[in-house]
Coordinates of all heavy atoms in Angstrom, one line a residue:
L1 N 90.7 106.3 57.3 CA 91.7 105.3 57.5 C 92.3 104.9 56.2 O 93.5 104.6 56.1 CB 91.0 104.1 58.1 CG 90.6 104.3 59.6 CD1 89.8 103.0 60.1 CD2 91.8 104.5 60.5
A2 N 91.5 104.9 55.1 CA 92.1 104.6 53.8 C 93.1 105.6 53.3 O 94.1 105.3 52.7 CB 91.0 104.4 52.8
Q3 N 92.8 106.9 53.6 CA 93.6 108.0 53.2 C 94.8 108.2 54.0 O 95.9 108.4 53.5 CB 92.8 109.3 53.1 CG 93.5 110.5 52.6 CD 92.7 111.7 52.5 OE1 91.4 111.7 52.7 NE2 93.2 112.9 52.1
F4 N 94.7 108.1 55.3 CA 95.8 108.5 56.2 C 96.3 107.3 57.0 O 97.4 107.4 57.6 CB 95.3 109.5 57.2 CG 94.9 110.8 56.6 CD1 93.6 111.3 56.8 CD2 95.8 111.6 55.9 CE1 93.2 112.5 56.2 CE2 95.5 112.8 55.3 CZ 94.2 113.3 55.5
G5 N 95.6 106.2 57.0 CA 96.1 105.0 57.7 C 95.8 105.0 59.2 O 96.1 103.9 59.9
R6 N 95.4 106.0 59.8 CA 95.1 106.1 61.2 C 94.3 107.3 61.6 O 94.1 108.2 60.8 CB 96.5 106.1 62.0 CG 97.3 107.4 61.6 CD 98.7 107.3 62.3 NE 98.6 107.3 63.7 CZ 98.9 106.2 64.5 NH1 99.3 105.1 63.9 NH2 98.8 106.2 65.8
I7 N 93.7 107.3 62.8 CA 93.1 108.4 63.4 C 93.6 108.5 64.8 O 93.6 107.6 65.6 CB 91.5 108.3 63.4 CG1 91.0 108.2 62.0 CG2 90.9 109.4 64.1 CD1 89.5 107.8 61.9
D8 N 94.1 109.7 65.2 CA 94.8 109.9 66.4 C 94.0 110.7 67.5 O 94.2 110.6 68.7 CB 96.1 110.6 66.3 CG 97.0 109.8 65.3 OD1 97.6 108.7 65.8 OD2 97.2 110.2 64.2
A9 N 93.0 111.5 67.0 CA 92.3 112.3 67.9 C 90.9 112.6 67.4 O 90.7 112.7 66.2 CB 93.1 113.6 68.2
L10 N 90.0 112.8 68.3 CA 88.6 113.2 68.0 C 88.2 114.3 69.0 O 88.4 114.2 70.2 CB 87.7 112.0 68.3 CG 86.2 112.3 68.3 CD1 85.7 112.8 66.9 CD2 85.4 111.1 68.8
V11 N 87.8 115.4 68.4 CA 87.2 116.5 69.2 C 85.7 116.6 68.9 O 85.4 116.9 67.7 CB 87.9 117.8 68.9 CG1 87.3 118.9 69.8 CG2 89.4 117.7 69.2
N12 N 84.9 116.4 69.9 CA 83.5 116.5 69.7 C 82.9 117.9 70.0 O 82.5 118.2 71.1 CB 82.8 115.5 70.6 CG 82.9 114.1 70.0 OD1 82.5 113.8 68.9 ND2 83.4 113.1 70.9
A13 N 83.0 118.7 69.0 CA 82.5 120.1 69.1 C 81.1 120.3 68.7 O 80.5 121.5 68.8 CB 83.4 121.1 68.4
A14 N 80.4 119.3 68.1 CA 79.1 119.5 67.6 C 78.1 119.5 68.9 O 78.3 118.8 69.8 CB 78.7 118.3 66.8
G15 N 77.2 120.4 68.8 CA 76.2 120.5 69.9 C 75.6 121.9 69.9 O 75.7 122.6 68.9
G16 N 74.9 122.2 71.0 CA 74.3 123.5 71.1 C 72.9 123.4 71.6 O 72.4 122.4 71.9
N17 N 72.2 124.6 71.6 CA 70.9 124.6 72.1 C 69.9 125.0 70.9 O 70.4 125.4 69.9 CB 70.7 125.7 73.2 CG 69.5 125.4 74.1 OD1 69.0 124.3 74.1 ND2 69.1 126.5 74.8
L18 N 68.6 124.9 71.1 CA 67.7 125.3 70.1 C 66.7 126.3 70.7 O 66.3 126.2 71.9 CB 66.9 124.0 69.7 CG 67.6 122.9 69.1 CD1 66.7 121.7 68.8 CD2 68.3 123.4 67.8
P19 N 66.3 127.3 70.0 CA 65.4 128.4 70.5 C 64.2 127.8 71.1 O 63.7 128.3 72.1 CB 65.1 129.2 69.3 CG 66.3 129.0 68.4 CD 66.7 127.6 68.6
A20 N 63.6 126.8 70.5 CA 62.3 126.2 71.0 C 62.5 125.5 72.4 O 61.5 125.3 73.1 CB 61.8 125.2 70.0
A21 N 63.8 125.2 72.7 CA 64.0 124.5 74.0 C 64.3 125.5 75.1 O 64.6 125.0 76.3 CB 65.1 123.5 73.8
V22 N 64.3 126.8 74.8 CA 64.6 127.8 75.9 C 63.3 128.2 76.5 O 62.3 128.5 75.8 CB 65.3 129.0 75.2 CG1 65.5 130.1 76.3 CG2 66.6 128.6 74.6
V23 N 63.3 128.3 77.8 CA 62.1 128.7 78.6 C 61.8 130.2 78.1 O 62.7 131.0 78.2 CB 62.3 128.7 80.1 CG1 61.1 129.3 80.8 CG2 62.5 127.2 80.5
P24 N 60.6 130.5 77.6 CA 60.4 131.8 77.1 C 60.6 132.9 78.2 O 60.4 132.7 79.4 CB 58.9 131.8 76.7 CG 58.6 130.3 76.6 CD 59.5 129.6 77.6
D25 N 61.0 134.0 77.7 CA 61.2 135.2 78.6 C 59.9 135.5 79.3 O 58.9 135.8 78.6 CB 61.8 136.4 77.9 CG 62.3 137.5 78.8 OD1 62.4 137.2 80.0 OD2 62.5 138.6 78.3
G26 N 59.8 135.4 80.6 CA 58.6 135.6 81.3 C 57.7 134.4 81.4 O 56.6 134.5 82.0
G27 N 58.1 133.3 80.7 CA 57.3 132.1 80.7 C 57.7 131.1 81.7 O 58.5 131.4 82.6
T28 N 57.3 129.8 81.5 CA 57.6 128.8 82.4 C 58.2 127.5 81.7 O 57.9 127.4 80.5 CB 56.4 128.3 83.3 OG1 55.5 127.6 82.4 CG2 55.7 129.5 83.9
F29 N 58.8 126.7 82.4 CA 59.3 125.4 81.9 C 58.2 124.6 81.3 O 58.5 123.9 80.3 CB 60.0 124.7 83.1 CG 60.3 123.2 82.8 CD1 61.3 122.9 82.0 CD2 59.6 122.2 83.5 CE1 61.6 121.5 81.7 CE2 59.9 120.9 83.2 CZ 60.9 120.6 82.4
F30 N 57.0 124.7 81.8 CA 55.9 123.8 81.4 C 55.4 124.1 80.0 O 54.7 123.4 79.4 CB 54.8 123.9 82.4 CG 55.2 123.7 83.8 CD1 55.3 124.8 84.7 CD2 55.6 122.4 84.2 CE1 55.7 124.6 86.0 CE2 56.0 122.2 85.5 CZ 56.1 123.3 86.4
E31 N 55.9 125.3 79.5 CA 55.5 125.7 78.1 C 56.5 125.1 77.0 O 56.2 125.2 75.8 CB 55.5 127.2 78.0 CG 54.5 127.9 78.9 CD 54.8 129.4 78.9 OE1 54.9 130.0 77.8 OE2 54.9 130.0 80.0
V32 N 57.6 124.6 77.4 CA 58.6 124.1 76.5 C 58.2 122.8 75.8 O 57.9 121.9 76.5 CB 60.0 124.0 77.2 CG1 61.0 123.5 76.1 CG2 60.4 125.3 77.9
P33 N 58.2 122.8 74.5 CA 57.7 121.5 73.8 C 58.6 120.4 74.1 O 59.8 120.5 74.0 CB 57.8 121.9 72.3 CG 57.8 123.4 72.3 CD 58.5 123.9 73.6
P34 N 58.1 119.2 74.5 CA 58.9 118.1 74.8 C 59.8 117.7 73.7 O 61.0 117.2 73.9 CB 57.8 117.0 75.1 CG 56.7 117.7 75.6 CD 56.6 119.0 74.8
Q35 N 59.4 117.8 72.4 CA 60.2 117.4 71.3 C 61.5 118.3 71.2 O 62.6 117.8 70.9 CB 59.5 117.5 70.0 CG 60.2 116.9 68.8 CD 60.6 115.4 69.0 OE1 59.8 114.6 69.4 NE2 61.9 115.1 68.9
A36 N 61.3 119.5 71.5 CA 62.5 120.4 71.5 C 63.5 120.0 72.6 O 64.7 120.0 72.4 CB 62.1 121.9 71.8
L37 N 63.0 119.6 73.8 CA 63.9 119.1 74.8 C 64.6 117.8 74.4 O 65.8 117.7 74.6 CB 63.1 118.8 76.1 CG 62.3 120.0 76.7 CD1 61.5 119.6 77.9 CD2 63.3 121.1 77.1
R38 N 63.9 116.9 73.7 CA 64.5 115.7 73.2 C 65.6 116.0 72.2 O 66.6 115.4 72.2 CB 63.4 114.8 72.6 CG 62.4 114.2 73.6 CD 61.5 113.1 72.9 NE 60.5 112.7 73.7 CZ 59.2 113.1 73.7 NH1 58.9 114.1 72.9 NH2 58.3 112.7 74.6
D39 N 65.3 116.9 71.3 CA 66.2 117.3 70.2 C 67.5 117.8 70.8 O 68.6 117.5 70.3 CB 65.6 118.3 69.3 CG 64.5 117.8 68.4 OD1 64.4 116.5 68.3 OD2 63.7 118.6 67.9
V40 N 67.5 118.6 71.8 CA 68.7 119.2 72.5 C 69.5 118.1 73.1 O 70.7 118.0 73.0 CB 68.3 120.3 73.4 CG1 69.5 120.7 74.3 CG2 67.8 121.5 72.7

């Protein structure tokens, strides 16, 4: 705001998944660490 005097648009492109939050190949949902789910 100090440099340009205004902000006209915001694009929220931050995000994504984490390997620890993916159900392991051949595994089950119950193996996924709760903290990894929270982080995602």
